[in-house]
Amino acid sequence: MHLGVNIDHVATLRQARGTPYPDPIAAARLCLEGGADGITAHLREDRRHIQDADMERLADMGLHLNMEMAATNEMVAICRRLRPAACCLVPERREELTTEGGLDVVTHQARLASVVAALGTDGVRASMFIDPVPAQIEASHAIGAPVVELHTGHYANLDGEARAEELVAIRKAARLAHDLGMVVHAGHGLTLGNLPPIVAIPEIEGLNIGHAIVADALFCGLKQAVADFVQAMRR
């Protein structure tokens, strides 16, 4: 299981003061030193954290870059120009603090199919960020998406029996996607505390984690925070 570290919130801290620091690209290097397999960055329409120049610099580093983005014409054009190794298509609303749920692939199949195909011609592997719902997985498969990333945010926000039920849904979704021949990733809201049951799902090949790692890094340093997650995943 590989780990992609989302560095958005290093950029959030920078943008809060409009300073050139902390530099998310320097953070990316530390993440890789800590054992991360790749870097994830979300270029939002409102540019609230990651900036275009950040994406340019990340694309020039030769690392495994996963560009999170909405399926807009602007973002598709940027992605096709930068040609990261992968992109993850996510829903996006200006008023949200963070991505609040999965992409509705069922409703937007035609549009998303064209985006997946266009990115594929430039060698970018597209992933659908979706809730663990069979219909969304089947629609993702139907449009030719090679990867799905299961949204674990609801799992992370629940507890007790409700969390256990959501975990069952994630397990079933991962198995269905795997059986359809898709690569399965997961992410959102994952911490060292809630990580073990997700890591135990054999069909999940990769995790994308950002906020918790950056938060832990305030206390133990970024390199060590990444290493702690890598150790937990291997355990």
Side-chain angles (χ1 to χ4, degrees):
M1 183 178 290
H2 67 262
L3 173 63
V5 177
N6 187 312
I7 57 170
D8 291 353
H9 294 301
V10 176
T12 296
L13 185 57
R14 177 192 62 190
Q15 297 304 114
R17 293 288 293 270
T19 59
Y21 62 85
D23 182 9
I25 283 66
R29 294 191 184 99
L30 285 175
C31 291
L32 296 173
E33 290 176 13
D37 300 288
I39 298 298
T40 294
H42 185 173
L43 186 64
R44 279 181 170 266
E45 179 191 20
D46 61 10
R47 307 304 200 270
R48 67 177 64 173
H49 37 56
I50 294 294
Q51 304 297 302
D52 295 68
D54 297 326
M55 296 304 303
E56 297 274 359
R57 293 170 67 198
L58 287 168
D60 288 340
M61 287 177 66
L63 50 76
H64 187 282
L65 176 60
N66 176 38
M67 178 179 173
E68 281 192 0
M69 60 185 231
T72 63
N73 291 337
E74 178 195 22
M75 291 301 159
V76 171
I78 291 172
C79 189
R80 296 189 70 178
R81 177 171 56 81
L82 296 179
R83 298 191 179 188
C87 82
C88 185
L89 299 177
V90 302
E92 188 176 302
R93 294 187 299 116
R94 279 181 176 267
E95 63 270 23
E96 67 186 2
L97 291 177
T98 184
T99 307
E100 296 174 346
L103 193 64
D104 187 356
V105 184
V106 172
T107 301
H108 304 287
Q109 282 194 56
R111 167 61 180 170
L112 294 173
S114 67
V115 171
V116 169
L119 294 175
T121 62
D122 290 309
V124 181
R125 187 174 75 164
S127 172
M128 302 293 110
F129 183 73
I130 57 173
D131 290 323
V133 176
Q136 298 296 343
I137 294 167
E138 291 164 353
S140 298
H141 179 257
I143 66 171
V147 185
V148 291
E149 181 170 333
L150 300 178
H151 176 229
T152 53
H154 300 311
Y155 160 81
N157 292 331
L158 297 169
D159 53 28
E161 185 176 343
R163 173 179 282 190
E165 291 176 356
E166 184 69 9
L167 182 61
V168 169
I170 294 171
R171 285 185 184 132
K172 290 181 178 178
R175 188 176 305 118
L176 173 59
H178 180 266
D179 289 346
L180 289 172
M182 306 178 78
V183 174
V184 185
H185 294 166
H188 206 75
L190 295 177
T191 67
L192 286 174
N194 63 32
L195 188 69
I198 300 298
V199 174
I201 300 173
E203 291 84 4
I204 295 178
E205 299 183 26
L207 301 178
N208 285 302
I209 303 174
H211 186 264
I213 289 176
V214 174
D216 287 357
L218 293 174
F219 301 96
C220 67
L222 186 56
K223 183 177 177 179
Q224 185 61 51
V226 172
D228 288 345
F229 272 81
V230 170
Q231 183 180 18
M233 290 165 64
R234 289 176 178 169
R235 186 186 303 121

